Structure formats: C-alpha cells, structure tokens
C-alpha cells in the first residue's frame, strides 16, 4: 500500500509530461502536413542515366 503513495503521483506526472510533449509538438507544427511527405516519396523525380 505504501508503494501506491509513490507510484500514483509518478504516473500522474508522467501523463502530464507526455501531454505537454504532445501539445508542444502540435503547436510547433509537427503534425501539420502528414500527407505531403508520403506523396513526395511516391513521386519519381529521378531521371534515368543517359548512356
């Protein structure tokens, strides 16, 4: 039972830290364009070498 007095506050703190990191990344624009990089990979910009 004594361990819960330590583990519960630590787990609550970890949840708040994870939420802070997520919202900070969201505010910095980390999740603005999720489709663009995936489509850029599919576009073949490479030209075949001239022989």
């Amino acid at each position: 039972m004594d361990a819960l007095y330590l583990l519960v506050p630590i787990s609550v703190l970890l949840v708040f830290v994870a939420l802070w990191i997520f919202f900070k990344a969201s505010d910095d624009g980390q999740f603005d364009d999720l489709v663009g990089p995936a489509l850029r990979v599919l576009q073949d910009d490479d030209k075949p070498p001239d022989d």
Side-chain angles (χ1 to χ4, degrees), residues 11-32:
S11 63
V12 170
L13 181 69
L14 276 174
V15 167
F16 283 122
V17 168
L19 284 173
W20 179 77
I21 290 171
F22 173 75
F23 284 115
K24 180 158 177 37
S26 180
D27 286 342
D28 289 343
Q30 180 72 29
F31 306 113
D32 282 349

Side-chain angles (χ1 to χ4, degrees), residues 39-48:
L39 291 177
R40 265 186 263 130
V41 168
L42 296 176
Q43 294 173 348
D44 189 16
D45 293 345
D46 298 335
K47 296 180 182 176

